[in-house]
Amino acid sequence: MSAKRDAWEQGVFKKANQELYSLLADTLDLYYDNEVITQSLDTKSQSKTYMSKLRTELTIRLTELGVKVQRNSTTLTMLVRYVFKSDRKRAHGYSQVLGAAIQDHVQPADLANYITNAGGVEQIKRRMVLSEE
């Protein structure tokens, strides 16, 4: 059984994590793209209007999927919920991972290594909860 578990861990489990990290990297890339757009706008008012439209569009799309959206949800969390179509708890966890990556100035291409070197998604979530406390 132990050898079978080892094979699973090095095969299916590892591949699933790699695919998850790739999706998270794509989500981070999309988030950064929107940040670049808002920073390129001429005024704070234009930036605020753009982000408001993005949040409105995400709210509409999430509502169409039957996902409840709270007003205090961050744009990053809303984006994660839209991409992953997952429950609030999982979306919040993935948002924490991406938030940590943003804090550490990680680029999307480096996200998989960042998560792996940090001990995985769960370890980053734990670190973020500790830092919030």
Side-chain angles (χ1 to χ4, degrees):
M1 288 297 285
S2 180
K4 193 172 185 180
R5 193 230 21 111
D6 288 343
W8 166 79
E9 187 175 285
Q10 293 306 311
V12 175
F13 183 72
K14 185 175 182 179
K15 184 174 173 35
N17 278 341
Q18 289 169 340
E19 289 180 17
L20 170 61
Y21 300 167
S22 177
L23 281 169
L24 287 169
D26 290 346
T27 305
L28 182 62
D29 192 35
L30 184 57
Y31 180 79
Y32 280 158
D33 285 349
N34 282 290
E35 285 291 307
V36 168
I37 290 169
T38 59
Q39 290 173 3
S40 71
L41 296 172
D42 294 332
T43 65
K44 276 189 171 183
S45 175
Q46 287 176 329
S47 295
K48 192 172 182 178
T49 300
Y50 175 83
M51 288 307 289
S52 178
K53 287 180 182 178
L54 174 62
R55 289 179 60 82
T56 299
E57 183 65 26
L58 284 168
T59 300
I60 289 168
R61 290 179 182 228
L62 286 166
T63 302
E64 288 171 353
L65 294 169
V67 176
K68 291 182 183 179
V69 179
Q70 296 178 326
R71 286 184 179 257
N72 62 345
S73 294
T74 65
T75 303
L76 180 59
T77 298
M78 291 172 69
L79 185 58
V80 169
R81 287 199 76 191
Y82 181 71
V83 170
F84 287 91
K85 297 174 181 54
S86 60
D87 59 75
R88 279 192 343 219
K89 187 175 179 179
R90 182 175 297 180
H92 182 68
Y94 291 162
S95 294
Q96 286 178 313
V97 170
L98 293 179
I102 291 166
Q103 274 184 335
D104 293 339
H105 307 286
V106 175
Q107 293 303 306
D110 301 323
L111 186 65
N113 287 334
Y114 172 79
I115 294 171
T116 301
N117 292 339
V121 168
E122 293 301 318
Q123 195 62 31
I124 294 172
K125 286 173 24 182
R126 279 189 208 101
R127 186 185 89 201
M128 291 303 284
V129 168
L130 289 174
S131 69
E132 287 172 6
E133 292 174 355

